[in-house]
Amino acid sequence: NAGVTQTPKFQVLKTGQSMTLQCAQDMNHEYMSWYRQDPGMGLRLIHYSVGAGITDQGEVPNGYNVSRSTTEDFPLRLLSAAPSQTSVYFCASSYSEGANYGYTFGSGTRLTVV
Amino acid sequence: SQQGEEDPQALSIQEGENATMNCSYKTSINNLQWYRQNSGRGLVHLILIRSNEREKHSGRLRVTLDTSKKSSSLLITASRAADTASYFCATDSDSWGKLQFGAGTQVVVTP
């Protein structure tokens, strides 16, 4: 099924560990982004990409790295996990061509840092 | 900081009633979008309204945008129990796809 696939769905990390959250889309969307959602809040943009090889920081980029080597994949790396990074992470892809557009979110990765 | 703020924070209605929620934002926008999130799930894109549009319809959804007041409203008509979810507005102010979300409105529709 076409869409955005995030793995893993759940993860528990110890403080200081590193890990990569995977995100893949099969819709050939140019734009991809990572958000985090904390309880009682909306999503906040972590990093963003307008195409392969191009990334940019969002509102809350500290502690995270991204790369976009292909159109399909946009992994998010936590360098040294901290309890403050406990959150639900969503990856999204989108496109815009004239009057046509599309936005698709993945189902999320629930991360707990202990 | 969050661009959008939804009002009310929570809304409880009965099936068949209409649900209205509002979103205010701070800076000029290219477009404003509404999303639905069922408990523990991802976001589903509902509707997008561009800055030069004032009203848009999609099925039972009606969205208005007032750029002079920096506000938008989402109306769900003839609500159903399946409409129970959190609803978020998101603004696109910078470049396509960089969204700023509000904190959401929790809607509960009781049969």
Side-chain angles (χ1 to χ4, degrees), chain A residues 16-87:
Chain A
Q17 285 185 317
S18 62
M19 80 159 293
T20 300
L21 279 62
Q22 302 292 342
C23 175
Q25 55 100 358
D26 58 2
M27 298 168 286
N28 202 33
H29 286 176
E30 291 177 79
Y31 304 88
M32 296 188 75
S33 47
W34 276 102
Y35 297 85
R36 60 177 287 174
Q37 184 178 30
D38 299 307
M41 298 181 70
L43 280 67
R44 291 183 292 168
L45 182 65
I46 305 172
H47 282 288
Y48 172 78
S49 171
V50 300
I54 306 169
T55 63
D56 194 8
Q57 293 183 348
E59 183 185 353
V60 287
N62 292 340
Y64 308 94
N65 272 355
V66 291
S67 59
R68 183 109 179 259
S69 55
T70 66
T71 300
E72 294 78 19
D73 299 300
F74 191 43
L76 178 71
R77 297 182 189 84
L78 278 70
L79 309 173
S80 177
S84 61
Q85 293 179 305
T86 293
S87 189

Side-chain angles (χ1 to χ4, degrees), chain B residues 24-64:
Chain B
S24 60
Y25 57 92
K26 299 172 185 174
T27 64
S28 61
I29 60 172
N30 297 321
N31 64 72
L32 184 144
Q33 303 171 36
W34 287 91
Y35 287 82
R36 183 186 73 232
Q37 184 179 36
N38 292 90
S39 181
R41 306 292 294 271
L43 277 76
V44 174
H45 181 269
L46 296 176
I47 197 164
L48 178 152
I49 186 165
R50 299 184 191 274
S51 60
N52 61 352
E53 298 175 314
R54 292 296 167 259
E55 188 171 315
K56 208 162 181 182
H57 297 255
S58 177
R60 294 184 296 112
L61 305 179
R62 173 179 170 253
V63 169
T64 63

Side-chain angles (χ1 to χ4, degrees), chain B residues 40-109:
Chain B
R41 306 292 294 271
L43 277 76
V44 174
H45 181 269
L46 296 176
I47 197 164
L48 178 152
I49 186 165
R50 299 184 191 274
S51 60
N52 61 352
E53 298 175 314
R54 292 296 167 259
E55 188 171 315
K56 208 162 181 182
H57 297 255
S58 177
R60 294 184 296 112
L61 305 179
R62 173 179 170 253
V63 169
T64 63
L65 179 65
D66 187 336
T67 53
S68 66
K69 295 182 179 178
K70 292 187 170 60
S71 68
S72 173
S73 68
L74 171 67
L75 168 67
I76 305 173
T77 60
S79 61
R80 306 166 182 168
D83 294 328
T84 294
S86 291
Y87 292 81
F88 296 90
C89 69
T91 55
D92 191 329
S93 304
D94 186 352
S95 65
W96 181 266
K98 292 177 75 172
L99 299 176
Q100 288 186 289
F101 284 83
T105 294
Q106 272 192 304
V107 175
V108 175
V109 182

